[in-house]
Amino acid sequence: MSISEANNISGSVTEFILLGFPCRREIQILLFVIFSLIYLLTLMGNTSIICAVWSSRKLHTPMYILLANFSFLEICYVSSDVPKMLANIISQTKSIPYAGCLLQFYFFFSMCAAEGYFLSAMSFDRFLAICRPLHYPTIMTYHLCAQLVVSCWVGGFLSILIPAILMSRVPFCGPNIIDHFFCDLGPLLALSCAPVPKTTLTCATVSSLIIFITFLYILGSYTLVLRAVLRVPAGSGRNKAFSTCASHFLVVSLFYGSVMVMYVSPGSRSHPGTQKFVTLFYCMATPFFNPLIYSLRNKDMKDALKKVLRAPSKEISKNTEK
């Protein structure tokens, strides 16, 4: 079939069927309960970090402003695909409109790109704080922090714009069944009724550039940070620097480890089961663990979270006394 012929009938596919997790009804209900609980805890955990940074003046610093924006990104990131996945688990139709599928693809991968940029910005902040401590206040100003935040958000959405436009031109004329729980790149391209080498190459190039450039930058930053920390005499300052950087690097490892297995490992896409598991890990597990990592390993954040959690209980006790 030629490209022109495929384009003539590409409109025949008006929706896709997301198979998700085909299994017995009892197991699907169990998965729905587990995933719903993880999703709610993820929203609560990241919202708590945002509230803690917002309410504590002590945390009104570039590091925590970046962290609050990162937590808000995680909320958007996990909400771009998980609600539809949960709806499809208990639904009989398991369908998603053609336009909805493309929008899900665009927003999910935009958030994924923005996450890489935010992790890079956070590593830059830690590099300045530890390797250039005397220059940190003059370099990492609130103005620069705001520019970094805007650049990460805008950069994420602009980076995936061309792949999204190209995906909207891919001819789909059937079948329309996606063996996945969301509109991922590989399964969508596999349903094309005509070869689209330019789209495949462009999407692969963009994703690889985003992954490798941000990862290598983060790796380089933390290598310099580690060298600087090891030069510091053993004590509380060294331990605090290690603790803060360890939290960031643990989040980086979780995110990039799973993403590279998915989009860089050559054999990962040939196994739908492995594909779903790895995708599920980086789209649900990493946003879930991030608040735990940052709150449990950071004293200032733990203190701010305690104040946030105490406020509602005090309000309830006042109301009961009245």
Side-chain angles (χ1 to χ4, degrees), residues 6-29:
N7 285 328
N8 288 334
I9 58 174
S10 61
S12 60
V13 172
T14 58
E15 65 177 22
F16 293 98
I17 305 299
L18 295 169
L19 287 184
F21 306 94
C23 52
R24 287 186 293 125
R25 188 64 179 170
E26 295 81 5
I27 298 177
Q28 287 185 336
I29 293 173

Side-chain angles (χ1 to χ4, degrees), residues 180-227:
H180 213 308
F181 59 83
F182 89 110
C183 297
D184 201 359
L185 175 63
L188 271 177
L189 289 175
L191 293 180
S192 172
C193 54
V196 282
K198 290 183 180 179
T199 299
T200 304
L201 179 62
T202 302
C203 291
T205 302
V206 170
S207 61
S208 297
L209 284 174
I210 294 172
I211 291 170
F212 281 111
I213 290 175
T214 55
F215 178 71
L216 290 176
Y217 177 82
I218 293 167
L219 195 62
S221 298
Y222 280 115
T223 300
L224 296 174
V225 166
L226 183 61
R227 287 175 57 189

Side-chain angles (χ1 to χ4, degrees), residues 50-82:
I50 295 170
C51 293
V53 174
W54 180 269
S55 61
S56 176
R57 294 186 63 84
K58 188 178 180 181
L59 301 184
H60 290 180
T61 61
M63 183 179 88
Y64 292 107
I65 291 171
L66 288 170
L67 177 57
N69 276 273
F70 183 72
S71 294
F72 180 67
L73 170 67
E74 294 289 59
I75 292 173
C76 299
Y77 178 52
V78 77
S79 298
S80 64
D81 64 329
V82 173

Side-chain angles (χ1 to χ4, degrees), residues 63-139:
M63 183 179 88
Y64 292 107
I65 291 171
L66 288 170
L67 177 57
N69 276 273
F70 183 72
S71 294
F72 180 67
L73 170 67
E74 294 289 59
I75 292 173
C76 299
Y77 178 52
V78 77
S79 298
S80 64
D81 64 329
V82 173
K84 185 61 181 176
M85 178 188 73
L86 293 174
N88 281 347
I89 288 177
I90 58 174
S91 172
Q92 296 296 327
T93 58
K94 304 183 185 301
S95 63
I96 182 171
Y98 171 82
C101 190
L102 292 181
L103 283 174
Q104 187 185 65
F105 166 84
Y106 175 63
F107 280 106
F108 178 82
F109 285 103
S110 293
M111 300 296 173
C112 198
E115 181 152 352
Y117 298 146
F118 265 107
L119 289 172
S120 300
M122 293 163 79
S123 69
F124 172 68
D125 174 75
R126 290 302 84 203
F127 165 77
L128 288 178
I130 294 172
C131 299
R132 303 287 187 271
L134 298 178
H135 299 94
Y136 180 80
T138 55
I139 297 175

